[in-house]
Amino acid sequence: MRLRQFTGLLTFLLAASGVQAEEINIAVASNFTAAMREIVEAFEQTSGHQVKLSFGSSGKFFAQIQHGAPYQAFFSADQAKPAALETAGQVVPGSRFTYAIGALALWSPKTGFIEGNAQRLHSGAFNKLALANPRLAPYGAAAIEVLEKLECKEATREKWVQGENISQTYQFVRTGNAELGFVALSQIMQQGKISQGSWWLVPSELYSPIRQDAVVLKGGKDSAATRALMQFIRGEQAGAIISAYGYHTAP
């Protein structure tokens, strides 16, 4: 059966059983783009609901939500912003949970350019180093932590090029505008493997854990689709997808 036919049949069955199919708007941190698209595709096929995804920096979404942006849920790249929204009474009580724990990588599309360690950073033998804006993006803040602990923050500063979010940072490196950069491991993984370029998987002890929290916003309080998506995210099928992109899931 074709996907369109299947979706139409599922929507009909949902309506017949008294469950109304919905379209919901979800804000998602850009590091989680590929994983979320795959998760939502699976969710839509089994639920009959439709999900409109917006990707960007957690900092910008936080500001938009504070000003009434019409999202039903928010998947942040950190814990602080969902917690702040929770404190401000802008989320459904008890809805916050950690959906993924991220990992940081130093990456270059050039084979052999990074030899599985921090030597390239220490040597300074590169044109530009890309990292996400640490004021907006948790992965950028993590990159700064790493540079500080490696004692090469000041030595590399003049070569920094900062992306508004981790997606733009990845593009700087992929297109050659920077020879290397700190990216989310999920951005360079496909089917559980890194298949292009060279990299250093940054040891987790060099930066604070990137625990990524999600919340149901006030606009999603009465949304069956939002509740179903949050339940799906916590299930085995979504968990397998999350792990395949290099994330850990919270116990």
Side-chain angles (χ1 to χ4, degrees), residues 34-36 38-40 42 232 236-247:
M36 194 59 159
E38 191 170 333
I39 289 168
V40 163
F232 187 84
E236 290 185 6
Q237 185 176 1
I241 295 170
I242 291 169
S243 297
Y245 281 94
Y247 296 97

Side-chain angles (χ1 to χ4, degrees), residues 208-225:
S208 302
I210 306 174
R211 298 182 68 89
Q212 303 191 192
D213 278 10
V215 286
V216 176
L217 300 168
K218 289 174 69 175
K221 179 181 178 181
D222 298 318
S223 167

Side-chain angles (χ1 to χ4, degrees), residues 127-248:
N127 64 353
K128 295 291 181 182
L129 170 65
L131 63 156
N133 186 333
R135 291 174 297 178
L136 295 174
Y139 282 83
I144 295 297
E145 283 190 71
V146 173
L147 291 172
E148 288 174 342
K149 289 184 178 178
L150 293 176
E151 299 183 349
C152 56
K153 178 181 175 181
E154 296 306 319
T156 61
R157 186 187 292 272
E158 291 187 357
K159 295 186 177 184
W160 292 359
V161 54
Q162 291 189 28
E164 180 180 278
N165 52 50
I166 199 66
S167 181
Q168 188 178 64
T169 304
Y170 169 77
Q171 291 299 326
F172 285 155
V173 186
R174 189 186 68 81
T175 58
N177 289 308
E179 284 188 298
L180 73 168
F182 286 102
V183 302
L185 178 61
S186 60
Q187 294 173 299
I188 56 175
M189 287 195 76
Q190 292 182 352
Q191 298 180 340
K193 296 181 180 180
I194 303 173
S195 58
Q196 181 185 4
S198 54
W199 63 90
W200 174 45
L201 181 57
V202 181
S204 59
E205 60 265 24
L206 292 181
Y207 58 94
S208 302
I210 306 174
R211 298 182 68 89
Q212 303 191 192
D213 278 10
V215 286
V216 176
L217 300 168
K218 289 174 69 175
K221 179 181 178 181
D222 298 318
S223 167
T226 303
R227 290 195 298 273
L229 175 63
M230 293 312 214
Q231 183 176 3
F232 187 84
I233 288 284
R234 291 171 153 176
E236 290 185 6
Q237 185 176 1
I241 295 170
I242 291 169
S243 297
Y245 281 94
Y247 296 97
H248 295 293

Side-chain angles (χ1 to χ4, degrees), residues 5-214:
Q5 292 175 317
F6 174 78
T7 303
L9 175 60
L10 186 55
T11 302
F12 171 79
L13 292 174
L14 285 168
S17 64
V19 178
Q20 184 67 42
E22 296 179 53
E23 180 177 281
I24 55 175
N25 297 308
I26 306 297
V28 184
S30 59
N31 72 86
F32 205 62
T33 298
M36 194 59 159
R37 282 179 173 156
E38 191 170 333
I39 289 168
V40 163
E41 182 180 2
F43 171 73
E44 289 181 337
Q45 289 180 18
T46 58
S47 71
H49 299 299
Q50 299 295 307
V51 182
K52 182 179 179 181
L53 295 168
S54 295
F55 298 103
S57 73
S58 297
K60 282 206 166 184
F61 282 134
F62 178 71
Q64 290 172 4
I65 291 165
Q66 286 182 309
H67 288 87
Y71 299 116
Q72 278 73 54
F74 173 38
F75 287 77
S76 183
D78 67 358
Q79 291 186 304
K81 295 172 186 66
L85 292 171
E86 185 177 46
T87 300
Q90 293 183 288
V91 308
V92 174
S95 67
R96 181 163 65 93
F97 70 99
T98 299
Y99 66 93
I101 302 171
L104 189 68
L106 182 69
W107 177 71
S108 172
K110 296 181 178 181
T111 302
F113 194 70
I114 300 171
E115 298 181 347
N117 53 46
Q119 181 56 40
R120 181 65 65 173
L121 286 175
H122 287 297
S123 72
F126 54 89
N127 64 353
K128 295 291 181 182
L129 170 65
L131 63 156
N133 186 333
R135 291 174 297 178
L136 295 174
Y139 282 83
I144 295 297
E145 283 190 71
V146 173
L147 291 172
E148 288 174 342
K149 289 184 178 178
L150 293 176
E151 299 183 349
C152 56
K153 178 181 175 181
E154 296 306 319
T156 61
R157 186 187 292 272
E158 291 187 357
K159 295 186 177 184
W160 292 359
V161 54
Q162 291 189 28
E164 180 180 278
N165 52 50
I166 199 66
S167 181
Q168 188 178 64
T169 304
Y170 169 77
Q171 291 299 326
F172 285 155
V173 186
R174 189 186 68 81
T175 58
N177 289 308
E179 284 188 298
L180 73 168
F182 286 102
V183 302
L185 178 61
S186 60
Q187 294 173 299
I188 56 175
M189 287 195 76
Q190 292 182 352
Q191 298 180 340
K193 296 181 180 180
I194 303 173
S195 58
Q196 181 185 4
S198 54
W199 63 90
W200 174 45
L201 181 57
V202 181
S204 59
E205 60 265 24
L206 292 181
Y207 58 94
S208 302
I210 306 174
R211 298 182 68 89
Q212 303 191 192
D213 278 10

